[in-house]
Amino acid sequence: MKNQKVGLIYVSPWIVGFLVLTIWPMIMSLYYALTDYNMIFKPNFIGLQNFINLFKDATFMGSMRSTFIYVIFSVPLQLAFALIVAFILNFKLKGIGLFRTAYYIPSILGGNVAVGILWRFMFQPTGLVNNFLGTFGIHPIGWLSTPTGAMTSIILLKVWQFGSSMLIFLAALKDLPTELYEAASLDNASKWQQFIHITIPLITPSIFFNLIMQVNNAFQEFNGPYLVTGQGPLKSTYLASLFIYDSAFKQYNMGYASAASWVLFIVIVLITIILFATQKKWVYYSDGGND
Amino acid sequence: MQNTSSFHSKQDTRKRVNSALRYIILTVFAIIMIYPILWLIGATFKTNAEIFTSASFIPSRIDFTPYVKGWITGGDYTFTTYFINTFEYVIPKILLTLLSATLVAYGFARFEFPGKKIMFSLLMATMFLPAVVTQIPLYLFFRDLHLLDTYVPLIARSAFAQEPFFVFMLIQFMRSIPRTLDEAATVDGCGSFGILRLVLLPSLKPALISCVIFQFMWSFGDFLGPLIYITSPSKYPVSIALKLNADTSAGTVPWNQIFAMSLVSLLPAIILFFSAQKYFVEGVTSSGIKG
């Protein structure tokens, strides 16, 4: 059919873009990772030397460790908040739109430099957060001067932006069949039991989707630490993306930085694959997962 | 049967207590969520001394001097330049996204062609592909094309539909438009492009508006892209200018001016959000997987 060629013409911008702006750079990235390219001399092939050096590099290993801490705390907290708030917002209450707006706004603004600057200021010794805690008689906390405090401040920035996950949960909650709840009420199941045994299983697909997206984003987080804490005390918030940025665009160690980006890439892909593999065990698809 | 009425009134009180409780929880959390933004608004009118000492967001005076001084900046360029620069790549990026994503989505949604299944899987896979791995080779690629310090690298991916979120969202919308409309148009002698323009585009309006809004938010707030690619101060967008202003002012930092400009930089996003709330919800939920 002549239709076939027509379809290809329409998707051709994507095909070209995919080859030139995604696949080719990935191949080149792998190539650079195996060289000592530093923008001055031509790249020399050095095999796996960059990777060996990375694993001996305390700064890089520390940045990977910080990245894991950041992901492990920020993602579950963010999703938990998103789910709880979505659950409460799902009830028919007057003025609910106003609340939805209040909870979504931080996600709209969250990535902006302005918010990063505001956050850095809020967590200063005499900033808003300590002033606020002071009204409860809590002594000022060294948010930006202690490793734990600095990490907490950027995790809070991430958690604060739970809005888009919340909207996805909210959409899922609105789609739930009411019959199941009526049946459960007849069986005298408490609200809590209904939440655990009906709501949660039915929205596992959106939990899964949000989890994958947020893990992916959190592993590559740049703006938060770069704008709020920088490296942080003892490089506590020197996340992998900051390490890669500095190695590539400040020191011009393109080979080394490419290798580091491949390590981060492989970690994210592996975790994504593992999450997909566990899907069968806990994600419930009403259509048997064929879609 | 006399118990029924007391049972009902008991239920009523319980209901009322329950919804009151929900309002209280929602309100407390909402205030915590938006307090930083409210405080930021207040801080733009405060004196520097007041910024440091008061946790209240209400300023003791209303003074627009921080806005005027902040806009002029102490540097070579004013925020007029930075805003114009930002729009110089944000607007083409939005237009190209609309064009490329619509064409590609049309190809995927309405045509059969060899390799379609694989291509669609690849398109979806790039949604989960960590972008960090292409960062360095893309930089070197654009350097070889002598396009560093131009806005081309910031726009390129949009021109080739390399942002799967938009393509996927439009595909979902197109699938919901009945094919019988296409067929009727074909009978009337309409070509494939005519169908897209005359039949699909009018119904796609809400989806396209969602694309515009999200692309505006993301590209306006983008920091890492300009940080990597733009080196001349005369070409800086708002995001970079803000960051530099917050960093370089030595001695007594004019925080009220920095906050004033931060707020100004957030205004487009805030205005857009309030004028197009429903499109956000549509955009997020149609891209997310429902439970």
Side-chain angles (χ1 to χ4, degrees), chain B residues 159-177:
Chain B
F160 292 93
Q162 292 302 294
E163 288 150 318
F165 173 83
F166 297 114
V167 181
F168 183 60
M169 188 166 83
L170 290 175
I171 290 177
Q172 295 290 80
F173 265 83
M174 282 189 199
R175 280 180 178 160
S176 67
I177 302 169

Side-chain angles (χ1 to χ4, degrees), chain A residues 10 37 94 103 160 216, chain B residues 23 26 33 128 143 162 192:
Chain A
Y10 283 110
Y37 191 41
K94 269 184 199 148
Y103 290 117
W160 187 59
N216 197 325
Chain B
Y23 272 120
L26 281 175
M33 287 289 288
F128 305 105
R143 179 199 60 168
Q162 292 302 294
S192 69

